Amino acid sequence: METELNEEKRRKIELTPAAEDCLEMIYRMSFGESADINPIPVRICALAERLNVSPSSASRMAQSMALWGYLDFRRYGYVTMTGEGRAHGEYLVRRHETAARFFGRLCGGKSDVDIEKIEHYITACALEAMERELSADVTNADDAEKT
């Protein structure tokens, strides 16, 4: 029963913006530009450097995400993503890139600082709407070129 409660609790975890940034960065560092290759283990000190935090802060965040089921973690060593972590990391990268394209088009440019702030408040429903709008813009542009 304790295991069931822990599983249920873990599924209800809502990541903080800092945890989302951390998981997104681990995904980017693990997979680079290709999500089809085997992931590269990420060293905690390299993660800390990329996130501009102390190694101990990165280590604590990784420990928490390991408890939540997103990472496999060894203290002061490397982290690798679990299946659940990889899926959520993919979603976070997709959300970031969609927000950057959407607001870049809307505002005539893109500001990574603004996107970093905004992306954490974009719901799955809003993300789908943004993707539909971006897709419609591409379709309309293609139709305009044909005429």
Side-chain angles (χ1 to χ4, degrees):
M1 181 156 169
E2 186 176 316
T3 306
E4 290 174 25
L5 290 176
N6 289 340
E7 283 295 313
E8 186 64 29
K9 208 184 229 184
R10 193 177 67 165
R11 276 189 235 116
K12 290 183 179 181
I13 297 282
E14 189 170 323
L15 296 179
T16 64
E20 285 185 343
D21 287 343
C22 185
L23 192 60
E24 180 182 344
M25 183 59 69
I26 292 169
Y27 182 87
R28 290 179 187 277
M29 292 173 74
S30 293
F31 294 100
E33 295 298 315
S34 175
D36 296 331
I37 61 171
N38 290 328
I40 299 167
V42 174
R43 192 149 174 81
I44 289 293
C45 60
L47 175 63
E49 187 176 311
R50 293 283 295 271
L51 292 173
N52 200 27
V53 299
S54 70
S56 62
S57 293
S59 181
R60 280 192 306 274
M61 182 68 72
Q63 287 173 345
S64 294
M65 285 192 284
L67 287 172
W68 301 331
Y70 293 113
L71 301 175
D72 290 323
F73 172 72
R74 288 191 212 159
R75 191 175 202 143
Y76 304 116
Y78 293 91
V79 294
T80 55
M81 300 187 98
T82 63
E84 189 174 346
R86 181 178 179 168
H88 200 73
E90 273 178 24
Y91 169 80
L92 294 173
V93 168
R94 185 179 116 221
R95 184 182 70 184
H96 179 93
E97 291 173 355
T98 299
R101 285 192 348 264
F102 183 82
F103 287 106
R105 195 170 284 174
L106 194 66
C107 300
K110 79 173 193 178
S111 169
D112 287 337
V113 173
D114 290 340
I115 298 307
E116 287 298 327
K117 293 176 185 174
I118 292 169
E119 70 180 330
H120 302 291
Y121 302 99
I122 298 173
T123 63
C125 181
L127 179 61
E128 288 175 15
M130 291 165 74
E131 289 173 331
R132 278 194 308 274
E133 186 65 30
L134 289 168
S135 179
D137 285 350
V138 170
T139 302
N140 291 340
D142 289 345
D143 289 344
E145 286 179 14
K146 291 178 186 174
T147 57

